């Protein structure tokens, strides 16, 4: 696919920490990691989704002033960012695998009318749902 | 009032952990000591920091989550009202019924009847997010809500989503 949504970003509190989490714990791959002074453009990809990149960005200059950046860091830490969904084939298996790797789960797998979902957070506070769709 | 970002992001992240734990097990007892331990904060600072971070005292947040779970069970399960009261963490049916009415405006039985009579067009929202749509909007104390209701100034709350 050559057109469509290509990059969507998350705000994270620390890009090294986020990189370790998304790559080592969730199994994403690094797509781009480029620095220019203090600025770092960092995106990762789900291994089965080559047309989409998830950006892991820190709020700050040059786009944002210090006070705005501080507010955003607080909002992320309070879990105030929008929901994220990771689709999986087998929610319970994914839960077991990620839990064993030390992912902070906020909800164990629950059956809801045939779909199964669990919840976890990244180290910054971004909340993910792990959803196995109804078959 | 102190600005919200007098609390460091690191502390806010730990306070979020206490909120998450209440979300995951709202039927359990959550005394301040237990919540403070989850957040790595002193008991003396926990309630104040939580309210500063999330705009609602921790015990009231827990109450809202319990009522929210109860509304889900009333709508979607065949459990009796007594069973739902005990499943969602209440020690007495009377307290459950009274609090439920104060928060939602209906008794649990009335709520169940209305909820089942209303068809939802929410099939496309993942079920785990749907609960948030029905979350009681407990931004004021139940006692304050009662006062406003008596004065006839109660806001719309969340009637429009039912």
């Amino acid at each position: 696919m050559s057109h469509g949504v290509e990059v969507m970003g998350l705000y994270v509190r620390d890009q090294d920490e986020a990189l370790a989490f998304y790559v080592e714990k969730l199994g994403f791959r690094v797509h781009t990691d480029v620095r220019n002074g203090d600025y770092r453009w960092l995106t990762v990809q789900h291994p089965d989704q080559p047309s989409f990149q998830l950006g892991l960005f820190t709020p700050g200059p040059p786009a944002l002033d210090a006070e705005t950046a501080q507010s955003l860091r607080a909002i992320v830490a309070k879990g105030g960012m929008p929901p994220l969904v990771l689709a999986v084939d087998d929610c319970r298996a994914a839960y077991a695998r990620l839990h064993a790797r030390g992912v902070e789960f906020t909800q164990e797998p629950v059956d809801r009318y045939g779909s199964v979902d669990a919840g976890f957070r990244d180290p910054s506070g971004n909340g993910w749902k792990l959803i196995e769709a109804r078959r | 009032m102190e600005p919200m970002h007098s609390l460091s992001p690191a502390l806010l992240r730990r306070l979020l952990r206490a909120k998450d734990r209440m979300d995951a097990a709202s039927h359990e007892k959550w005394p301040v000591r237990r919540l403070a331990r989850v957040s790595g904060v002193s008991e003396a600072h926990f309630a104040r920091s939580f309210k500063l971070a999330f705009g609602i005292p921790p015990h009231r947040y827990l109450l809202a989550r319990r009522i929210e779970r109860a509304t889900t069970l009333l709508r979607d399960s065949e459990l009796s009202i007594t069973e739902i009261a005990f499943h969602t963490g209440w020690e007495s049916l009377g307290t459950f019924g009274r609090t439920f009415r104060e928060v939602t405006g209906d008794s649990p039985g009335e709520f169940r009847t209305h909820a089942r009579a209303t068809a939802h067009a929410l099939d496309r929202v993942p079920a785990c997010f749907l609960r948030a749509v029905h979350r009681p909007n407990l931004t004021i104390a139940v006692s304050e809500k009662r006062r406003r209701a008596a004065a006839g100034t109660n806001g719309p709350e969340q009637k429009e989503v039912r």
Side-chain angles (χ1 to χ4, degrees):
Chain A
M1 191 178 69
S2 61
H3 53 273
V5 178
E6 186 175 49
V7 179
M8 276 192 64
L10 302 181
Y11 278 136
V12 298
R13 63 183 182 186
D14 180 293
Q15 287 174 305
D16 288 331
E17 177 188 59
L19 182 61
F21 178 81
Y22 282 93
V23 172
E24 289 162 26
K25 291 194 163 43
L26 292 196
F28 284 53
R29 297 175 185 148
V30 177
H31 180 280
T32 306
D33 187 357
V34 178
R35 292 165 197 258
N36 183 7
D38 288 339
Y39 185 75
R40 183 178 182 188
W41 176 268
L42 171 64
T43 68
V44 295
Q45 275 191 323
H46 188 282
D48 298 336
Q49 210 172 13
S51 68
F52 180 77
Q53 299 167 55
L54 185 67
L56 305 174
F57 306 125
T58 46
L64 300 170
D65 62 278
E67 194 178 330
T68 306
Q70 176 69 11
S71 299
L72 283 166
R73 278 193 290 273
I75 292 166
V76 172
K78 293 200 291 178
M81 286 308 197
L84 298 157
V85 175
L86 196 59
V88 290
D89 290 335
D90 183 337
C91 183
R92 290 174 204 284
Y95 168 81
R97 192 173 61 246
L98 298 179
H99 192 260
R101 290 182 196 162
V103 172
E104 180 183 342
F105 273 85
T106 52
Q107 180 213 303
E108 292 178 7
V110 174
D111 255 297
R112 298 181 214 265
Y113 320 109
S115 72
V116 185
D117 63 85
F120 67 89
R121 289 196 190 279
D122 75 6
S124 302
N126 292 296
W128 285 87
K129 283 286 180 183
L130 202 56
I131 301 185
E132 172 189 335
R134 200 177 318 177
R135 288 163 204 248
Chain B
M1 176 141 163
E2 237 171 306
M4 172 264 282
H5 46 254
S6 64
L7 302 181
S8 72
L11 172 57
L12 291 168
R13 180 67 181 85
R14 297 202 311 272
L15 292 167
L16 176 62
R17 205 159 280 142
K19 186 165 173 266
D20 283 342
R21 293 283 297 276
M22 285 194 274
D23 287 345
S26 62
H27 59 288
E28 293 181 9
K29 287 193 200 309
W30 288 100
V32 166
R33 187 187 314 133
R34 186 179 179 197
L35 292 167
R37 205 181 310 127
V38 169
S39 290
V41 181
S42 76
E43 282 181 54
H45 284 111
F46 178 80
R48 189 171 155 279
S49 302
F50 188 96
K51 174 147 196 281
L52 211 49
F54 300 112
I56 181 171
H59 63 273
R60 202 185 305 158
Y61 181 75
L62 182 64
L63 199 72
R65 293 311 308 260
R66 287 181 175 179
I67 297 294
E68 173 194 331
R69 271 203 69 216
T71 60
T72 305
L73 292 171
L74 287 165
R75 200 173 49 240
D76 301 335
S77 83
E78 297 303 325
L79 294 174
S80 72
I81 288 169
T82 306
E83 286 170 313
I84 289 171
F86 294 111
H87 263 79
T88 54
W90 306 87
E91 285 174 354
S92 111
L93 189 57
T95 310
F96 168 63
R98 192 165 57 248
T99 310
F100 191 94
R101 182 189 278 281
E102 283 164 353
V103 173
T104 70
D106 286 329
S107 72
E110 288 162 351
F111 179 89
R112 173 168 262 178
T113 307
H114 295 167
R116 291 188 171 171
T118 312
H120 289 284
L122 293 168
D123 295 357
R124 303 190 61 114
V125 182
C128 49
F129 293 114
L130 203 50
R131 289 189 307 162
V133 175
H134 297 287
R135 184 168 299 183
N137 190 15
L138 247 197
T139 52
I140 56 172
V142 167
S143 56
E144 170 61 17
K145 198 162 165 158
R146 205 181 303 139
R147 262 196 305 280
R148 290 191 198 176
T153 56
N154 209 1
E157 293 303 323
Q158 56 153 177
K159 293 263 197 278
E160 66 275 12
V161 301
R162 285 219 198 108

